[in-house]
Structure formats: C-alpha cells, structure tokens
Amino acid sequence: MFRKQKNNTVSRRLYFYIFVPILITIFLSSAVTLYYALNAKQKELDRLISETASNIAALPATRELLLSGEPDPDYTKTLDLYEENISQLDTLVICNRDSIRLYHTVADRIGLSFVGGDEGPILEGADPYISIATGTLGLQRRAFHPVTDGEGRILGFVMASVLNSSLTSIRTNIILTFLLIFLVMVGIGCITAETFRYQLSTTLLGHNPEDFVNLYVERSEVLDALEEGIFAINTEGQVILMNQSAKKMLNLPADYRPEGTPLVTYYPETQLPNTVRTGIPEHNINFVINDKNIISSRIPIEREGQIIGAVSIFRNKTEVTKLAEELTGAKYMVDTLRAMNHEFMNKLHVILGSLEIGDVEQAKSYIINTSLVSGAAVSDIHHRVPSSTLAALLIGKLIRASELGITLTLQPDSCFYRKQHHLPSDCYITLVGNLLENAIYELNSQDYPVKQINLGIYSGEGHTTIICDDTGGGIPEDILEHIYDRTTTTKGEGHGHGFPLMKEITDRYHGTIHIETELGEGTSVEINLPI
C-alpha cells in the first residue's frame, strides 16, 4: 500500500513538473501578447480618431461651414453618413472659434457650446493632439485638429472621439478572447503533460518512475555487496556499470562515478570490447589487474538479438584458489578419515578375535604395539607440507598403502610451502595423487619382495619438483610409448587417465615430465613445474 501511494505521488509529481512549466509558459506568453494587443488596439483607435479629425478638417466644405457660421443641413447629412461608416467612431464635432457646435453626431446638440474644456490649446494654435475629457456623452478619448483658412488663420476645430465605455468594451472583448485562447492552451498543456507521462510509462514498460528508482537502488546495493567485481560497457566501450568490488580492484575511490567514460581509461589491457565485437562469451579467463591474479568471465549483452554491450564478472584468483583448497582439503580429509576408520575396524577385529579365543595377553600386546599410522609420520607430513589439502591427501595415501603392506615414505628433505608459488593447489593434488595411485596399484598388483614408495616434493627458486620412486615391475616399452594416450592402460576399462591428466597440467603451466623405468626394478617419475 505504501509503495502504491509513493508511486502515485511520483506520478503526480512528474505530471506537476511537466504541466507547471507549460502553464507558466502559456501564462507569460498570453500576458505579453495581451499587453501588446491592447496597446496596438489603443494605437489603432488613436490613429482612427486622429485621421478622421484631420480628414474632416481638410475638407473645403468644413472650411465653408465655419466661414458661414451657420449649420448646413446637406453637409450635416454627409457627415452623418461618413460617421456611420466608421463603426468604432462614437463622436464627431465641428466647432467655430467660439466653441459653438456647427456639427455634432447628435443633431439636437448642434448650436450648443462645446463641453469638456480641452479645446483651448487647439484654438490657440497647438499642433493636433489627443486628450481625455468628459463630454455630453460621457468620458471620451478625443482627437483635435484645427481648421484654417487660406492664410492660416484658425477658423475652428474638428474633434473625433471614442467613448471610454466603448474602449472598455473593446478591451473586455480582447481580454475574453485571450482568456478563451489561454484556457484552450491550458487544456492542450494538460493533454500534452498526460501524453508525455503515458509515453514515459510505456517506455518504462508500464512501470512508474519510482519503481525504477527502487530497482536501481536495490540492485546497486546488491551489486556493491558482492565480492565479485562487475563492470559493463556499451558498444562504444564506455562504462555503464561498475560495482564497488570492481572499483577496489581497479584502485578507484569508492565514491567515484566512472559511468560514461571509456573503460580503457582505468584498465588499458581490457579485452571486453572484443567481446562486444565478436559476441562470443569467454569463461574462467586468467589475467592480471594491478598485480592481482584475476579469474574472469566475459559475456555479451543482447537485446532483441542485437549486441548492446558486454559485462565482465571477475574475482581475485587468490580467494578463489583458497576456497577451492578448503573444499578440496575437506574432501581429502573425509577420505583420510574413511581410510583410518577402515584400518581401525580391521585392528578391532584382530583384538576381538584374540579375546574370543581367550588369548588376553596377545590382545594386550597387539594393542600396545599397534597404531593406525605412525604419529611421527603424520607430524612429519604436516611439518614438511603445510598445505592442508596436500597433507590430507598424503596421510590418506599413507594409510591406504599401510593397509596393503606398502611402505610409503615422504623424503626427509622434502619441503613444500604454498606461499612460494601461485599455481592452484588442485594441480598438485592431481599430480601427487595420480603418481601415488599408480605406484600403489602397481605394487599391489603382484607379490613383489619389496613394496616401497619414496615421494619427494621440493619447492625451490623458480620451480617445484615432484619425484615418485617405486619398486614395482616397471613400465613395458609398448605401454611407455603411448602412456599419455587416454586409451593406454594396464588397469582395465575405465582407467588410463592418470598420466594424460598429469601431462595436461604440466603442458598448461609449461612444465615437464621425465620417466625412468626398468622392468623388474621399478619406476621413477620426475615432474618439474615453474613457479
């Protein structure tokens, strides 16, 4: 309910923000136009009465009328027709120098004195002018023009006027017309604002702007909470999205806004524009950003089948590797505990058998002289191989080998320190696990007089070396030639992946595998990997 009210509020506010500027624009334009329209009308009426007074004053009949000093009925009729043809003219008066009317629009006022008192200047020789005064018909706007004889002497004057009531009526009509136009334009403004709001809603897929604000804030908070770095670009290579983890990896301030700027500005080595061009996604790509080992996926962004950009999702490889090691270590620890449990049950069965036959002394001796795995051996593995995953693997293999009567020994000079290399821990798990598994399988496949496996792991300057020696029967030459083929195996169907896997890993990290074998004597495998 609250969200709906907020949405309605935003919609009304949006409508208000659109409509008010339109309303203000209409009002100001109407006011200015009305002002100029009224002024123009006023000037038009002033020009009308001035030209009328001037035209009448210039007529010879007007001069003859003033010289005679008596009203002329024929000329009066002519002036009445003239005045009737000028619809906006209310009063026309001709007076002599004594201000006696020789003609008036209202016939019964001919012969009477002029009323208003504003005729003095024109009789004294002033230029034609316009004044406002109250006459017999009411308040008027009057135009005066002198009538002269051939020698320039003033014989009288002509006055043409518009009543103030007529002016008010004209102004009222103009104002009402503009008011009607204003209301029509306001209506059009309302429709325009509503149409814009509707079109905006359609563009936003029917959502209100508040919905998009909430979505933007919520998604921004979610993206910023992720440990994975995320940035996206458009087809121009400009940043359209970058979360806080990405800013941190690129050494940008948390409050920096990179949107709209080219990604190469912050990360010149980026290959994300290639993803935009090719449209081919790439997953689990390894690269370096600001001396940080990164694992990333690049994915094109499509809309209606058109590529409009690309997004890169990446994470610090060190963290990913650490997580993988923890998961792998847990797996091998479970395998180790399972092997220990299996051997422990075997020991318990021996003790139970001794007790069943009543040989208590033998049971005591067996308990005293038996342990699952030498504590010294386990301690030595932990000391020389601090990596929990690899140590768990070695302990598990040690227990399994012990159950099968095989002596597995970690060379005393072995040393493997995780901090000295940057290769994933699962690489070493695969290599060591397959080496030991192959050796255990070989020694358990036949009754060899000596069943011994020696494993050495050495982390030196610039490389890691793994050496595994066994006292098995060696590898036949025909098998050795194809030992890296997945179809080559001595273990039967479903096997034969150990050496191919090890070869893939060493090739991937530019390492080498060296195998020395002699039939009836055993096999030695040496793996070198660069750090």
Side-chain angles (χ1 to χ4, degrees), residues 486-498:
R486 290 185 180 272
T487 56
T488 301
T489 180
T490 60
K491 301 179 183 179
E493 187 177 353
H495 298 276
H497 300 293

Side-chain angles (χ1 to χ4, degrees), residues 211-221 241 257 259:
D211 294 333
F212 274 85
V213 172
N214 290 332
L215 285 173
Y216 176 80
V217 173
E218 291 167 1
R219 293 184 181 183
S220 295
E221 290 177 352
L241 171 68
R257 301 299 300 271
E259 288 79 7

Side-chain angles (χ1 to χ4, degrees), residues 282-302:
E282 299 176 276
H283 300 281
N284 301 323
I285 306 300
N286 294 292
F287 58 94
V288 176
I289 295 181
N290 294 329
D291 299 326
K292 302 182 183 73
N293 291 303
I294 301 297
I295 184 169
S296 170
S297 294
R298 307 184 189 110
I299 305 168
I301 304 172
E302 296 185 9

Side-chain angles (χ1 to χ4, degrees), residues 514-531:
H514 180 67
I515 303 174
E516 290 186 2
T517 183
E518 185 176 346
L519 293 178
E521 297 295 331
T523 301
S524 176
V525 180
E526 179 178 326
I527 297 176
N528 285 287
L529 289 170
I531 294 178

Side-chain angles (χ1 to χ4, degrees), residues 439-480:
I440 291 173
Y441 179 86
E442 171 62 24
L443 293 174
N444 191 50
S445 64
Q446 297 184 37
D447 189 16
Y448 293 106
V450 177
K451 296 184 177 184
Q452 176 75 37
I453 301 174
N454 292 320
L455 178 68
I457 305 176
Y458 310 97
S459 291
E461 288 295 332
H463 71 280
T464 296
T465 301
I466 304 171
I467 301 174
C468 182
D469 300 330
D470 67 65
T471 58
I475 302 174
E477 186 175 349
D478 57 334
I479 298 294
L480 186 62

Side-chain angles (χ1 to χ4, degrees), residues 8 53 74 107 122 149 164 225-226 261 311 396 482:
N8 291 336
D74 294 333
I122 200 70
D149 59 12
N164 190 65
L226 294 175
T261 56
V311 60
H482 306 285

Side-chain angles (χ1 to χ4, degrees), residues 391-411:
L393 171 69
L394 293 176
I395 293 171
K397 296 297 183 183
L398 183 64
I399 294 172
R400 182 156 180 255
S402 177
E403 284 184 326
L404 298 175
I406 300 171
T407 301
L408 172 58
T409 304
L410 179 65
Q411 293 293 357

